[in-house]
Amino acid sequence: MDIGIGLPALRPDPELSITAWARRAEERGFASLGTIDRLVYDNYEPFTALAVAAGATSRIRLTSGILLAPLRADHALFAKAVATLDRLSGGRLTLGLAPGGREDDYTVGGVDFRRRGKLFDALLERAVQQWEHPGDGVGPAPATRGGPPLLFGGNSEAALRRMTVHGVGWVGGASGVADFRAFLPTVRQAWQNAGRAGEPRLLGTANFALGPDAEQRIRDRILHYYAFAGEYAQRSLTAGLITPDQVAREVAAYAEAGCDELLLMPNGGGLEQVDLLADAIGL
């Protein structure tokens, strides 16, 4: 199982360098760098953060885990931005996509929340067409032929449909390995029913904070971020990892469940979080 680490993009410390974080993550052997996405929140815009990370590194993959795709109302421009990032990073981009559940993001973004599913489908159709046939005047062509790999988050029938039509796999939420494991039979059955060859790629996500004040940092950030989500906020907090032993056990549990890649998202702290996490998982 590959292990990725999130960029310090959520309620970011302006003194903490994303370039230094990305370089250190690559040096320590992490497989990927990840981001989250919100509009009405204090977080870095994902494409911008990943572009900065791409420029500072040469090997580590870049993953949006996840990107709220329907907020990108200009579908041709979205496809162009993705192709540009994929091209400039040398084909290191993987897109995790979902519609999201926060209406305030859509209100501020001027996008109809109730139509986000239809907008998502339209965006995918346009983007895939543009990546596969860049000769229509809208370039550049992505480095990855046909566009970067797409993973889809969510537990709905629509999410599974998008995965089987356009994607290479599925992204699980950060509420713990039990929730991840419980939904895998449904993901695999949808893949099989659609006649897709092989197996879907499975990406898990988890929150971590290590070192002094880890428990307080992860509590503050998770409860603040998921304040709207009721019971899910508490499940996500319970699933947060705050000791090296917890990290090691959770990594082993995700690997045993069949996860292909686990993306561990930081919650506060400085550059030392990269080394603390790498040490905890033996990198």
Side-chain angles (χ1 to χ4, degrees):
M1 182 178 72
D2 292 333
I3 306 292
I5 184 171
L7 291 169
L10 179 66
R11 295 171 68 186
D13 178 352
E15 302 300 319
L16 181 55
S17 166
I18 275 191
T19 58
W21 183 285
R23 289 177 182 139
R24 190 64 180 149
E26 185 170 76
E27 290 168 0
R28 289 304 304 259
F30 286 99
S32 62
L33 293 162
T35 60
I36 63 158
D37 192 20
R38 283 287 312 280
L39 181 55
V40 186
Y41 205 78
D42 179 14
N43 63 287
Y44 290 142
E45 193 282 319
F47 287 157
T48 307
L50 289 172
V52 170
T57 57
S58 61
R59 301 181 308 278
I60 195 167
R61 297 197 310 274
L62 313 166
T63 303
S64 63
I66 56 171
L67 187 81
L68 303 181
L71 282 177
R72 277 71 186 178
D74 187 328
H75 299 167
L77 185 58
F78 166 83
K80 186 181 185 78
V82 170
T84 299
L85 181 53
D86 189 62
R87 181 83 161 263
L88 293 177
S89 67
R92 290 186 279 151
L93 180 63
T94 296
L95 284 183
L97 305 171
R102 286 295 302 263
E103 189 167 358
D104 53 351
D105 286 332
Y106 285 85
T107 299
V108 171
V111 179
D112 188 344
F113 180 73
R114 294 167 298 179
R115 296 188 63 244
R116 68 193 188 283
K118 291 182 178 180
L119 293 170
F120 196 178
D121 291 334
L123 176 144
L124 289 168
E125 293 292 339
R126 171 65 200 226
V128 169
Q129 179 185 37
Q130 193 165 308
W131 297 331
E132 292 179 346
H133 304 286
D136 64 357
V138 183
T144 307
R145 186 176 180 86
L150 304 181
L151 305 170
F152 290 88
N155 296 0
S156 67
E157 290 185 11
L160 296 173
R161 171 180 54 78
R162 294 179 186 115
M163 177 193 72
T164 60
V165 173
H166 297 293
V168 301
W170 176 74
V171 182
S175 57
V177 69
D179 285 355
F180 178 84
R181 186 187 292 112
F183 198 63
L184 293 190
T186 303
V187 172
R188 291 181 172 128
Q189 189 64 55
W191 191 263
Q192 181 179 343
N193 290 348
R196 295 290 301 269
E199 294 287 334
R201 182 166 180 80
L202 304 172
L203 176 69
T205 56
N207 287 296
F208 82 94
L210 295 169
D213 303 319
E215 183 174 4
Q216 189 61 49
R217 283 189 281 114
I218 206 166
R219 168 175 284 276
D220 288 348
R221 286 170 180 263
I222 288 179
L223 293 183
H224 189 267
Y225 185 75
Y226 289 114
F228 74 100
E231 181 188 349
Y232 186 84
Q234 189 58 49
R235 296 212 314 275
S236 297
L237 177 61
T238 301
L241 309 173
I242 58 174
T243 70
D245 285 346
Q246 285 181 338
V247 169
R249 287 196 301 270
E250 196 77 348
V251 166
Y254 269 96
E256 187 276 332
C259 184
D260 295 301
E261 182 169 358
L262 180 61
L263 184 58
L264 292 155
M265 305 300 293
N267 289 264
L271 188 59
E272 82 286 344
Q273 295 296 299
V274 179
D275 289 320
L276 290 172
L277 182 62
D279 291 344
I281 62 178
L283 290 180

